[in-house]
Amino acid sequence: MNSNLPVVSLFSGAGGLDCAVERCGEPPLVHDNTGSPLRVAVATDYDETALQTLSLNFPHTKTLCGDIRDTSTSDILAAGGLSVGDPTLVVGGPPCTPFSKSGFWVEEKRNSSDPNASLLDDYVRVVRESKPEAFILENVQGLTYKTHKAQFDRLMAGLTAAGYNPTYKVLLAAEYGVPQLRRRVFVVGRRDGKKFHFPETTHSGESERDRIVDSSKLPFVSARTAFKGIKKEKLEDSEIVEGTYADLAAEVPPGQNYLWHTDRYGGKNVFRWRSRYWTFLLKLDPERPSTTLQAQPGPWVGPFHWSNVRNARGDIRARRLRISEMKRLMTFPDEFEFVGGKREAQRQLGNAVPVELGKVVIRSLMEQLGYMCAEQPSSVNGTQISLL
């Protein structure tokens, strides 16, 4: 197997998609770092700390820190020792803030006038000028909303004009074995004109939109299953939810949120119905996948762990998730290391692509390009894959 097919990574962050690139040949949820014909030759981002994390975990990858709008394609290729036409893939997820639901309270984002949306054009520019065999672009589902139609249409038109045939699909991470109800749009295109076919889902279960379960597929991976085998850690003060809503957060049952404390549920009648974001005082349901992990949560934003803890005074309190738990929800390898403190690590994780979701898309593309043999994934043979 050729292990030197070069990949250019844009908007790399801490390296979620990069991790998927270099592990795309591995069976689902198995991390032995031996199963990919691809290697990330060069990774770019404006976030120096995130790139330090990437370098720590991928020491062979050259990194280029800076604003993509001020970085030429030739400089990117040169950093990776590449020429035009050399890259097998260009991958990346331009910052999703302009298209994220959580930013819709800002008028310029609702109106799709956020200047950061132009970063899509720079992704197209690098694809056009570097001429990879194929590309993969990942972003939040909001990019496909009607409010962003102009940007999305321009993206697709630009990729088509560059000589590719882009196709897109919104994927639910839980349907591919990720223990998280995270929806992301993937745009994929091949230079040879052939259409990319998205992989079939392998898992089924209830989500916020779907109550119909396909019994022929594996059940969604639950948070409890994802956390199985994590080493016990000492409780830190920063993990304990204290402050204004501490008592209310502790009283919320697993799988519930602030709505528990409205006149329609069994808690205290404190909040008006649907007056807050869904993640406010949200606790994980141990028997279901997690909701989307937040990159920069406020003090009352979950998901919190389903089990309460006691503070130094003996008061019952909710507990914030640990980095080891967040890595499991994002299907990062346990050994993956982050530069920075806990808050910084969560920011990097929340902004990343779930590794298993990236793996299944990249693996499918590599099979269709002829670089990998199409094999029946071990996650769909009727046996649940172990997370250990």
Side-chain angles (χ1 to χ4, degrees):
M1 177 183 288
N2 185 347
S3 60
N4 295 302
L5 298 176
V7 175
V8 171
S9 173
L10 309 177
F11 312 103
S12 309
L17 201 51
D18 304 70
C19 192
V21 162
E22 301 217 352
R23 297 173 183 264
C24 69
E26 299 169 352
L29 301 173
V30 173
H31 302 302
D32 60 17
N33 205 25
T34 61
S36 177
L38 299 165
R39 290 294 178 269
V40 179
V42 56
T44 71
D45 204 285
Y46 72 95
D47 186 334
E48 184 175 354
T49 305
L51 278 185
Q52 289 174 358
T53 293
L54 190 147
S55 294
L56 180 63
N57 293 276
F58 305 101
H60 58 274
T61 298
K62 302 297 183 182
T63 58
L64 198 59
C65 187
D67 190 327
I68 189 72
R69 291 168 291 192
D70 301 324
T71 307
S72 69
T73 304
S74 59
D75 284 345
I76 295 172
L77 291 174
L82 304 173
S83 300
V84 173
D86 283 350
T88 301
L89 301 179
V90 166
V91 302
C96 62
T97 305
F99 315 110
S100 174
K101 280 184 180 180
S102 61
F104 263 44
W105 60 276
V106 180
E107 183 177 1
E108 67 178 13
K109 298 185 189 301
R110 287 198 306 273
N111 296 335
S112 203
S113 57
D114 190 318
N116 286 329
S118 67
L119 295 176
L120 293 172
D121 296 331
D122 286 283
Y123 184 97
V124 173
R125 183 252 303 173
V126 175
V127 169
R128 181 179 64 248
E129 295 176 355
S130 64
K131 293 181 169 51
E133 285 191 57
F135 68 83
I136 297 175
L137 182 149
E138 177 270 348
N139 214 290
V140 293
Q141 180 182 7
L143 176 59
T144 64
Y145 291 172
K146 290 182 180 179
T147 49
H148 303 305
K149 187 177 186 303
Q151 273 82 359
F152 190 66
D153 287 350
R154 187 171 75 244
L155 168 68
M156 299 297 279
L159 292 168
T160 300
Y164 297 80
N165 59 336
T167 184
Y168 75 94
K169 188 174 183 179
V170 175
L171 305 181
L172 176 60
E175 292 184 334
Y176 296 92
V178 176
Q180 191 175 168
L181 296 169
R182 189 182 189 102
R183 294 181 187 273
R184 287 296 185 269
V185 62
F186 282 79
V187 183
V188 184
R190 298 172 53 163
R191 195 177 64 198
D192 61 10
K194 295 182 180 179
K195 181 180 179 180
F196 172 71
H197 298 280
F198 282 91
E200 294 295 323
T201 60
T202 55
H203 293 65
S204 181
E206 291 190 3
S207 69
E208 73 281 9
R209 302 180 185 180
D210 196 351
R211 297 293 182 266
I212 300 175
V213 178
D214 186 345
S215 60
S216 69
K217 297 179 180 179
L218 289 173
F220 282 167
V221 177
S222 69
R224 188 191 302 278
T225 298
F227 292 171
K228 183 179 178 182
I230 291 180
K231 294 180 180 179
K232 291 185 178 181
E233 301 176 42
K234 182 180 178 181
L235 179 66
E236 298 181 2
D237 290 343
S238 61
E239 297 171 356
I240 302 173
V241 179
E242 297 283 13
T244 306
Y245 301 112
D247 291 334
L248 295 177
E251 293 170 9
V252 172
Q256 299 286 346
N257 60 3
Y258 79 96
L259 293 175
W260 180 254
H261 293 298
T262 66
D263 58 5
R264 302 194 189 189
Y265 282 93
K268 295 181 174 65
N269 186 10
V270 175
F271 303 108
R272 289 184 293 107
W273 183 255
R274 293 185 177 176
S275 60
R276 306 275 180 143
Y277 280 114
W278 178 260
T279 51
F280 190 74
L281 304 188
L282 177 66
K283 279 187 178 176
L284 287 175
D285 182 337
E287 308 310 328
R288 301 189 68 231
S290 170
T291 55
T292 298
L293 186 68
Q294 303 292 305
Q296 294 176 298
W300 312 111
V301 172
F304 303 125
H305 198 278
W306 60 84
S307 295
N308 287 326
V309 295
R310 289 187 181 272
N311 62 17
R313 299 184 302 274
D315 303 320
I316 298 176
R317 292 290 183 257
R319 175 172 76 76
R320 294 185 173 86
L321 295 180
R322 294 163 175 160
I323 298 304
S324 59
E325 295 165 338
M326 296 180 200
K327 286 196 288 188
R328 289 290 184 92
L329 295 179
M330 292 295 292
T331 57
F332 271 71
D334 286 348
E335 66 272 18
F336 199 93
E337 299 180 69
F338 288 89
V339 174
K342 181 177 179 179
R343 183 180 294 273
E344 175 62 31
Q346 178 163 358
R347 184 183 69 82
Q348 294 176 41
L349 278 164
N351 286 329
V353 179
V355 174
E356 287 301 313
L357 184 59
K359 276 171 60 177
V360 74
V361 174
I362 295 167
R363 183 168 59 242
S364 182
L365 176 58
M366 293 303 289
E367 289 172 355
Q368 292 175 47
L369 287 172
Y371 287 112
M372 295 175 64
C373 295
E375 297 178 354
Q376 185 75 0
S378 54
S379 63
V380 294
N381 64 3
T383 303
Q384 182 72 50
I385 293 297
S386 171
L387 282 152
L388 301 181

